Amino acid sequence: MRDSEQTRHKILEVSADEIHKKGFTATSLSCILARCEISKGALYHHFANKMELGYVVFEEVYAPAFIALWQPTVEAEDPIEGLCEFFSEMSNTMSCDELVCGCPLNNLCQEMSGVDEGFRIRILAMQQQLNLLISTNLARVSQQLQPDLDFSQVAYFIVSTFHGSSSLSKSSLNKELFDKVIKELCRYIRQLKR
Amino acid sequence: MRDSEQTRHKILEVSADEIHKKGFTATSLSCILARCEISKGALYHHFANKMELGYVVFEEVYAPAFIALWQPTVEAEDPIEGLCEFFSEMSNTMSCDELVCGCPLNNLCQEMSGVDEGFRIRILAMQQQLNLLISTNLARVSQQLQPDLDFSQVAYFIVSTFHGSSSLSKSSLNKELFDKVIKELCRYIRQLKR
DNA sequence: ATTCTAACCGACCGTTTGGTCGGTTGCAAA
DNA sequence: TTTGCAACCGACCAAACGGTCGGTTAGAAT
């Protein structure tokens, strides 16, 4: 057979990139087909419709990448320094073009949460999973931190700020504002230590 | 004559609401026309095209409302408490439906910054104006605050977190997560005092 | 009463979109 | 060698989009 799995993988890969750059709605199937060099029939053989394609991209591309990005960060011996290094490195290594694309999770949250329930529940589940990941690892070193901290609250706060700064840099087209927010975020995170 | 100014105003009002709820691209002219009970000819008599309509909505509706919202908050005698009360009140008074719509500025920033230069520069200008508003008012009471604070950095941080929390609540459909982030944000802001 | 024009109407247009479907092709099993 | 079917093709479709334009109407100015 022609390699079915490879075709499917290529579609997911290209779709993930297009959705990241243009958003879900603005991503056209014809553009995906052109980049994959396949026909519309091929795509609809593998996916029921555009929405389902979006779900699979989220589940099989974005979600694993997202966890793979945050998990090592926060499971480091010192999660406080892990987070700070994570954000700082992001500030240093990301190109301006990458930065402007924003975080796929935040982008989809903004665009699709209010439009499609299927996306909404998947995004919410991801947010909660990430929150659990961060808050449990903060709790792990709670004896080094300030007393009376609400770890879940702190975790949502950190992620919100990060997503907000991603959004901010979309309008500035440079890393300056992103860097500023990240610097202050690191200052805040380190303040959590007693 | 039929009241030209009233027609124009109605178009802007309805468009602002539609764009706030659905985003710029997803807002269809036909929907605006239906709600205004006017024809396509009437709309194109007042505005050159959809993009220009969007610009005018931003400049004549969103921008003034945005400044009117933040200015009193931060020009209060104690801007620290002003900000905290502002956020807390938002947490308390906003309905869930309103919350889910998010901040018009942040929404447009996410959707349009990367797509249209005209939107991008307007949004950026607004971000900078807001930053100046907050940072100068923090500087005004700098003797009450921690030493060595970068006020611009702090201001961008606060707005980023606020926008991030707006985004977050889109996926949760309730105020719980928004409240959590806002509570932590107030804790952070009050910590700025020495 | 006539004229002039801003204000408005709505049929029409080209383009793009997601989606359908009858047909073709390649490969593996029988 | 034949058969069967997953994999793929691409012409076609209806709907929706932003935008155009020749025509109509209301009302102020002369």
Side-chain angles (χ1 to χ4, degrees):
Chain A
M1 289 275 163
R2 303 87 136 200
D3 194 336
S4 171
E5 195 50 46
Q6 184 178 317
T7 303
R8 190 186 127 98
H9 184 262
K10 185 78 181 287
I11 294 172
L12 286 178
E13 190 181 30
V14 169
S15 299
D17 185 58
E18 287 287 319
I19 293 172
H20 186 196
K21 285 178 179 157
K22 302 179 183 172
F24 179 78
T25 308
T27 291
S28 73
L29 298 184
S30 58
C31 184
I32 294 174
L33 302 180
R35 281 186 57 183
C36 291
E37 298 178 89
I38 60 170
S39 71
K40 189 163 281 194
L43 192 148
Y44 274 86
H45 174 74
H46 288 279
F47 303 96
N49 49 42
K50 191 190 178 187
M51 201 59 88
E52 202 212 73
L53 172 61
Y55 295 164
V56 177
V57 165
F58 188 90
E59 288 167 353
E60 296 189 19
V61 183
Y62 291 156
F66 203 67
I67 293 300
L69 192 68
W70 284 84
Q71 190 152 6
T73 297
V74 89
E75 287 184 346
E77 206 178 286
D78 183 350
I80 297 293
E81 280 310 307
L83 283 166
C84 288
E85 281 166 26
F86 173 64
F87 290 129
S88 298
E89 193 175 343
M90 201 164 254
S91 241
N92 293 330
T93 62
M94 277 185 86
S95 77
C96 202
D97 292 339
E98 289 174 297
L99 201 64
V100 164
C101 283
C103 166
L105 180 66
N106 187 45
N107 291 354
L108 281 177
C109 179
Q110 277 275 139
E111 183 191 359
M112 299 305 293
S113 279
V115 177
D116 180 77
E117 187 69 4
F119 264 116
R120 207 201 103 237
I121 55 175
R122 284 167 174 82
I123 291 163
L124 180 59
M126 189 79 257
Q127 304 264 31
Q128 290 169 334
Q129 190 180 341
L130 177 63
N131 185 264
L132 196 64
L133 189 65
I134 298 177
S135 59
T136 55
N137 277 285
L138 288 177
R140 178 168 57 84
V141 294
S142 60
Q143 74 288 349
Q144 302 170 30
L145 305 179
Q146 287 180 33
D148 301 324
L149 284 179
D150 180 334
F151 297 124
S152 170
Q153 182 170 305
V154 168
Y156 276 125
F157 180 82
I158 291 172
V159 175
S160 286
T161 306
F162 171 65
H163 283 163
S165 70
S166 303
S167 174
L168 180 61
S169 53
K170 288 195 181 194
S171 66
S172 65
L173 279 190
N174 63 52
K175 297 163 71 175
E176 192 195 328
L177 302 190
F178 182 77
D179 287 344
K180 278 195 174 190
V181 177
I182 292 302
K183 270 175 88 173
E184 188 65 17
L185 179 57
C186 290
R187 207 178 67 83
Y188 159 82
I189 293 176
R190 291 207 171 92
Q191 257 186 359
L192 294 175
K193 288 193 176 178
R194 46 166 91 229
Chain B
M1 289 279 163
R2 302 86 136 197
D3 194 336
S4 171
E5 194 51 44
Q6 184 179 317
T7 303
R8 191 185 125 98
H9 183 261
K10 184 78 180 287
I11 294 173
L12 287 178
E13 190 183 29
V14 169
S15 299
D17 185 57
E18 287 287 318
I19 293 172
H20 185 195
K21 285 177 178 158
K22 302 180 184 172
F24 179 77
T25 307
T27 291
S28 73
L29 298 185
S30 59
C31 184
I32 294 174
L33 302 180
R35 280 186 57 182
C36 291
E37 296 177 272
I38 60 171
S39 72
K40 190 164 280 195
L43 192 148
Y44 274 87
H45 175 74
H46 288 280
F47 303 96
N49 49 44
K50 190 190 180 187
M51 201 59 88
E52 203 212 74
L53 171 62
Y55 295 164
V56 177
V57 165
F58 187 90
E59 288 167 354
E60 297 188 20
V61 183
Y62 291 155
F66 203 66
I67 293 299
L69 194 68
W70 285 84
Q71 190 152 6
T73 298
V74 89
E75 286 183 348
E77 206 177 285
D78 183 349
I80 297 293
E81 279 310 308
L83 282 167
C84 288
E85 281 167 25
F86 173 64
F87 289 129
S88 297
E89 193 174 342
M90 199 164 255
S91 242
N92 293 330
T93 63
M94 277 186 87
S95 77
C96 202
D97 291 339
E98 288 174 295
L99 201 65
V100 164
C101 282
C103 166
L105 181 67
N106 188 46
N107 291 354
L108 281 176
C109 179
Q110 276 276 139
E111 184 192 358
M112 298 305 293
S113 280
V115 176
D116 180 76
E117 187 68 6
F119 264 116
R120 207 201 102 238
I121 56 175
R122 284 167 174 82
I123 291 162
L124 181 59
M126 189 79 256
Q127 303 264 32
Q128 290 169 334
Q129 189 180 342
L130 178 62
N131 185 263
L132 195 65
L133 189 66
I134 298 176
S135 59
T136 56
N137 277 285
L138 289 177
R140 179 167 57 84
V141 295
S142 59
Q143 75 287 348
Q144 302 170 29
L145 305 179
Q146 288 179 31
D148 303 322
L149 284 179
D150 181 334
F151 298 124
S152 170
Q153 181 171 305
V154 168
Y156 276 124
F157 180 82
I158 292 171
V159 176
S160 286
T161 305
F162 172 66
H163 284 163
S165 70
S166 303
S167 174
L168 179 62
S169 51
K170 289 196 180 196
S171 65
S172 65
L173 279 191
N174 64 52
K175 298 163 72 175
E176 192 194 330
L177 302 191
F178 182 76
D179 287 345
K180 279 196 174 192
V181 178
I182 292 302
K183 269 176 91 174
E184 188 66 16
L185 179 56
C186 290
R187 207 179 67 84
Y188 160 82
I189 292 175
R190 291 207 172 92
Q191 256 186 358
L192 294 175
K193 288 193 177 179
R194 46 165 89 230

